[in-house]
């Protein structure tokens, strides 16, 4: 059974940093591209970042480029998102999501971790 | 950048009724469109991919159609657990979601 479990969310002050983690199990982690998708309170879904299976290629949404860093450790079956220079607009639930084989969709999602940016 | 527009924003129906949700793309996306269901407090779940293929474990009452710029998600006979928010999604330059349709109990 595919499982994705996020952790690391919490309350952080504007300008602060946070590191999110996603522990994966139930599939060959290195064989899949992985993603972060976020959802602000009461709002829709927003793609944040993606990383290919071996970490060779990395992509970011314009809204986070230069502030967020995605990475992975295939030996630990884990995905990470380093969040820096956080602002109120980054307050959201952050979901870890596995990409489908053709990389067009998100076929499995974690339960999410809440990041709140507030003074 | 492709924009996905969903309609209606809110759909009020009763259990047993048929639901039809729409997603319109600002330019052709061929059949590269997915639908997700999100219940309160839960993560989204993939329902339909490539416009008309049901994901693993999705009941047959869910069906998707369309191609090019106009797509529909149909729920044949609404069950109580189907009342949720539904999003369409496409990957062009990168991943884009529609703004969502809330399906509520009438």
């Amino acid at each position: 059974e595919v499982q994705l479990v996020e952790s690391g969310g919490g309350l952080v002050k504007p300008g602060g940093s946070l590191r999110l983690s996603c522990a994966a199990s139930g599939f060959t982690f290195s064989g899949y591209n992985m993603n972060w998708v976020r959802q602000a309170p009461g709002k829709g879904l927003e793609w944040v970042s993606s990383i290919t299976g071996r970490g060779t290629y990395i992509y970011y949404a314009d809204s986070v480029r230069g502030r967020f860093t995605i990475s992975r450790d295939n030996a630990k079956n884990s995905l990470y998102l380093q969040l820096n220079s956080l602002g109120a607009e980054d307050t959201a639930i952050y979901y870890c999501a596995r990409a489908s084989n053709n990389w067009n969709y998100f076929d499995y999602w974690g339960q999410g971790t809440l990041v709140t940016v507030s003074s | 950048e492709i924009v996905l527009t969903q309609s209606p924003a809110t759909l009020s129906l009763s259990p047993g009724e048929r639901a039809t949700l729409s997603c319109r793309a600002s330019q052709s996306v061929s059949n590269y469109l997915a639908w997700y269901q999100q219940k309160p407090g839960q993560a989204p779940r993939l329902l339909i991919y490539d416009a008309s293929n049901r994901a693993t474990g999705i009941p047959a009452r869910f069906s998707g159609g369309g191609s090019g710029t106009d797509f529909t998600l149909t729920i044949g006979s609404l069950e109580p657990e189907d009342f949720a928010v539904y999003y369409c999604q496409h990957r062009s330059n990168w991943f884009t979601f529609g703004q969502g349709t809330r399906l509520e109990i009438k």
Side-chain angles (χ1 to χ4, degrees), chain B residues 30-67:
Chain B
S30 184
N31 69 329
Y32 297 124
L33 190 100
W35 291 92
Y36 299 84
Q37 177 193 65
Q38 187 177 33
K39 298 179 183 179
Q42 296 186 18
R45 176 175 68 149
L46 178 65
L47 294 177
I48 301 288
Y49 65 94
D50 289 344
S52 61
N53 295 306
R54 277 190 300 277
T56 303
I58 302 303
R61 64 181 182 272
F62 290 91
S63 62
S67 66

Side-chain angles (χ1 to χ4, degrees), chain A residues 6 34 95:
Chain A
E6 301 94 334
M34 295 298 295
Y95 295 103

Side-chain angles (χ1 to χ4, degrees), chain A:
Chain A
E1 178 192 5
V2 172
Q3 285 198 322
L4 300 169
V5 180
E6 301 94 334
S7 60
L11 175 63
V12 60
K13 289 182 169 54
S17 298
L18 214 54
R19 189 193 196 207
L20 308 183
S21 300
C22 172
S25 61
F27 64 101
T28 303
F29 182 67
S30 60
Y32 287 84
N33 302 333
M34 295 298 295
N35 311 269
W36 290 97
V37 177
R38 69 183 180 182
Q39 186 171 36
K43 303 296 185 182
L45 300 167
E46 179 190 17
W47 168 76
V48 172
S49 182
S50 297
I51 185 168
T52 54
R54 295 185 179 184
T56 306
Y57 298 100
I58 286 173
Y59 306 90
Y60 298 101
D62 289 344
S63 57
V64 306
R65 186 176 293 112
R67 301 187 299 120
F68 291 8
T69 302
I70 192 172
S71 62
R72 64 190 297 160
D73 185 337
N74 288 341
K76 294 182 178 180
N77 288 343
S78 292
L79 176 72
Y80 306 101
L81 187 67
Q82 177 69 40
L83 290 66
N84 295 332
S85 302
L86 285 162
E89 70 278 9
D90 298 313
T91 294
I93 296 173
Y94 285 74
Y95 295 103
C96 165
R98 192 182 82 167
S100 59
N101 284 331
N102 60 11
W103 207 0
N104 284 334
Y105 314 116
F106 306 110
D107 57 2
Y108 288 93
W109 299 64
Q111 85 289 350
T113 187
L114 176 62
V115 173
T116 303
V117 183
S118 175
S119 55

Side-chain angles (χ1 to χ4, degrees), chain A residues 39 42-46, chain B residues 3-11 21-24 34-38 73 84-89 96-103:
Chain A
Q39 186 171 36
K43 303 296 185 182
L45 300 167
E46 179 190 17
Chain B
V3 176
L4 300 177
T5 302
Q6 293 186 240
S7 61
T10 303
L11 183 59
L21 288 66
S22 174
C23 178
R24 175 164 289 178
W35 291 92
Y36 299 84
Q37 177 193 65
Q38 187 177 33
L73 172 69
V85 179
Y86 293 84
Y87 295 94
C88 58
Q89 175 258 315
T96 302
F97 292 92
Q99 82 280 16
T101 289
R102 180 178 304 277
L103 178 57

